[in-house]
Amino acid sequence: MAAPNKKTIRFDWPYHFVALPLLLITLVLTITYWIHALRSGENTLLAWLLLVLLLCLCFAIPRIRVYATKTQDRIVRMEEQFRYYRLTGKEMDSRVTREQIIALRNASDAELPALCERAVNEQLSGKDIHAAITNWRTDDMRI
């Protein structure tokens, strides 16, 4: 199967459509409450506390997503290194980058070793590797 023509964007429904919109709504409401409390002089301690907690959430929620993505990258790297070893009996070249390994996961077993060598020798980008794949191996689990 050939590579898909368009890039598919995968959404994590609870994160993209629940957590982030709720964070945005909470941000607007908290800033509105903070401004109102500062102008009226009432509940300023509570307003500051809410603002600080919201700032913590604004940093934490995106970081949680970044950590999950990095974990997926590590797992893909280990899987592909093991697959390469299983197919060739050799370790994957240490010059293969993370981006290349993530792109190589879509190559079939038959073309992985040669494409891996090409990726290192020609310094192919992930996009170039995807274009070079003839037998597409989908990865439906990565978000």
Side-chain angles (χ1 to χ4, degrees):
M1 177 193 299
N5 290 336
K6 63 181 182 178
K7 181 176 179 160
T8 38
I9 298 173
R10 305 246 346 240
F11 291 105
D12 181 24
W13 194 87
Y15 177 78
H16 289 102
F17 300 112
V18 177
L20 287 181
L22 285 176
L23 181 64
L24 183 62
I25 291 167
T26 306
L27 176 68
V28 170
L29 291 175
T30 300
I31 290 175
T32 303
Y33 179 78
W34 180 73
I35 291 170
H36 175 71
L38 288 180
R39 285 185 179 163
S40 69
E42 299 175 10
N43 294 326
T44 55
L45 179 62
L46 178 61
W48 279 105
L49 180 63
L50 287 174
L51 185 65
V52 169
L53 288 174
L54 181 72
L55 289 175
C56 290
L57 278 176
C58 285
F59 285 106
I61 289 177
R63 292 307 306 165
I64 290 167
R65 182 70 191 137
V66 168
Y67 294 153
T69 304
K70 284 187 178 199
T71 301
Q72 287 180 2
D73 290 348
R74 290 176 63 110
I75 292 169
V76 166
R77 187 186 78 223
M78 289 187 311
E79 286 176 341
E80 293 309 308
Q81 286 175 340
F82 179 69
R83 183 165 74 120
Y84 184 85
Y85 181 79
R86 185 176 43 86
L87 294 171
T88 65
K90 301 183 293 185
E91 289 187 15
M92 187 180 279
D93 193 321
S94 61
R95 295 175 293 169
V96 179
T97 66
R98 179 185 52 88
E99 178 192 9
Q100 290 172 326
I101 290 174
I102 290 170
L104 285 165
R105 80 186 188 284
N106 297 118
S108 67
D109 286 351
E111 61 188 334
L112 176 68
L115 195 52
C116 187
E117 294 299 318
R118 241 185 95 197
V120 170
N121 295 334
E122 299 175 23
Q123 297 179 347
L124 299 176
S125 69
K127 193 173 188 177
D128 295 334
I129 291 170
H130 279 164
I133 295 173
T134 55
N135 285 331
W136 195 260
R137 185 175 154 243
T138 59
D139 183 3
D140 296 329
M141 298 181 79
R142 191 156 201 270
I143 297 176

